[in-house]
Amino acid sequence: MKKAQSRFELRLAPAPLEDPVTDVCLSCICEASSGCDASLRCNGDVCGMFRITWAYWADAGKPVQQGDSPDSQNAYANCANEPYCAARTVQGYMRKFGQDCNGDGTIDCFDHAIIHKLGGYNCKNQVPIVYQSKIDECIQRKAVEYGAVRQ
């Protein structure tokens, strides 16, 4: 049981040299953002199942799909609407803006989820309760699935 807890904690807060956001956390951010609906495209100023804005994509380093150029007119939408490129966008954004938003002394999924929703400069602000509840429920469900309890 001790090993399961350690593994899960690592999934919530990976080593600094890895992608900052774990797969578990990405799935929870996706669920809270859109229900992880892969059919979602651009609507207003957000695109894809992570509901990424152009500014968020640009801050993330303008990742693109293979064969695309960051300067291409459709690069943002092409990436944000494609699940793997969108996930790379979230990783890039968290590499730039990752911080301890909730003051618990660690940068983990709770912080990444807040940053994703509120942005890198606003993460100390109040998180919408519906979004926060979805994140909390997802992380708790994943902890049960992995046989670990977050301490």
Side-chain angles (χ1 to χ4, degrees), residues 47-111:
C47 292
M49 59 191 192
F50 286 98
R51 312 315 287 149
I52 293 170
T53 64
W54 186 92
Y56 184 111
W57 174 76
D59 282 341
K62 296 185 178 181
V64 294
Q65 293 193 66
Q66 188 172 354
D68 213 345
S69 160
D71 299 321
S72 160
Q73 182 178 1
N74 297 320
Y76 151 64
N78 289 345
C79 180
N81 288 324
E82 196 282 317
Y84 293 104
C85 194
R88 285 197 320 276
T89 302
V90 175
Q91 295 288 7
Y93 194 84
M94 296 310 155
R95 269 192 284 285
K96 181 173 182 176
F97 290 108
Q99 59 190 293
D100 180 15
C101 300
N102 59 6
D104 67 357
T106 187
I107 301 171
D108 60 15
C109 188
F110 297 100
D111 301 299

Side-chain angles (χ1 to χ4, degrees), residues 130-144:
V130 173
Y131 179 81
Q132 186 65 54
S133 295
K134 288 179 181 179
I135 291 294
D136 292 344
E137 289 167 14
C138 180
I139 290 173
Q140 190 170 26
R141 189 176 66 253
K142 299 290 184 180
V144 170

